[in-house]
Amino acid sequence: MIETVREADAMIWCSPLYHGSVSGSFKNAIDWLELLNKNAKGYLSNKIVGLISTAGGTQGLQDINTMEFMVRALRAWAVPLVIPVAQTWKIFDEQGKLKDESIRNSLEQLGKEVFLAARQMAKTGTCDYDKATIDYASK
């Protein structure tokens, strides 16, 4: 996992909400990123992160807020668009396929924003991208 994260330009993090925060297994995985402290720039410097939470109720932003603190603590950049998915038991069919088109569209948009920010960071060292000038189909 550490080598995959080290080589990644961007990541999408997702955690279920447990008692107002990220799950223990998610936190454990993030704690292992301490091994990246020896990187030339340290931790996740200049990496882009998209954030998704899943929750049984509607409090998914609590999870997002926790993950955003983690992103900043590890010196990465979170894109502004976040996806808190509420009442997750309702959005999947019996085969586990997403049946809510609005959630699908939101997740696709998040992926595009992560891609754009990572590409801009790689080119210029910033993530101040202009979405209006990007042709998604050509990438």
Side-chain angles (χ1 to χ4, degrees), residues 62-81:
Q62 294 173 352
D63 206 15
I64 296 284
N65 291 338
T66 300
M67 287 189 283
E68 196 164 23
F69 291 136
M70 292 173 171
V71 168
R72 284 198 308 268
L74 293 169
R75 301 181 188 148
W77 298 85
V79 296
L81 179 64

Side-chain angles (χ1 to χ4, degrees), residues 1-8 11 13 25-36 44 47 74:
M1 178 187 89
I2 297 301
E3 287 309 310
T4 300
V5 170
R6 187 186 323 271
E7 294 173 13
M11 294 169 277
W13 291 0
S25 58
F26 181 86
K27 177 64 167 75
N28 190 38
I30 296 302
D31 287 344
W32 277 102
L33 298 180
E34 177 64 29
L35 297 175
L36 295 172
L44 302 178
K47 293 187 185 288
L74 293 169

Side-chain angles (χ1 to χ4, degrees), residues 117-130:
R119 186 173 68 182
Q120 185 69 25
M121 182 66 76
K123 285 183 176 181
T124 67
T126 69
C127 57
D128 183 22
Y129 57 93
D130 180 1

Side-chain angles (χ1 to χ4, degrees), residues 10-105:
M11 294 169 277
I12 295 180
W13 291 0
C14 181
S15 175
L17 179 70
Y18 278 97
H19 307 290
S21 189
V22 297
S23 71
S25 58
F26 181 86
K27 177 64 167 75
N28 190 38
I30 296 302
D31 287 344
W32 277 102
L33 298 180
E34 177 64 29
L35 297 175
L36 295 172
N37 186 29
K38 304 290 188 237
N39 281 355
K41 296 179 184 177
Y43 297 107
L44 302 178
S45 292
N46 296 337
K47 293 187 185 288
I48 304 300
V49 181
L51 302 174
I52 303 168
S53 70
T54 59
T58 59
Q59 298 82 16
L61 282 175
Q62 294 173 352
D63 206 15
I64 296 284
N65 291 338
T66 300
M67 287 189 283
E68 196 164 23
F69 291 136
M70 292 173 171
V71 168
R72 284 198 308 268
L74 293 169
R75 301 181 188 148
W77 298 85
V79 296
L81 179 64
V82 297
I83 311 295
V85 182
Q87 300 177 346
T88 53
W89 74 90
K90 292 181 177 180
I91 66 167
F92 294 97
D93 65 19
E94 278 124 29
Q95 289 76 39
K97 298 202 187 233
L98 188 61
K99 62 182 183 179
D100 187 320
E101 204 58 36
S102 67
I103 299 291
R104 181 183 317 283
N105 293 339

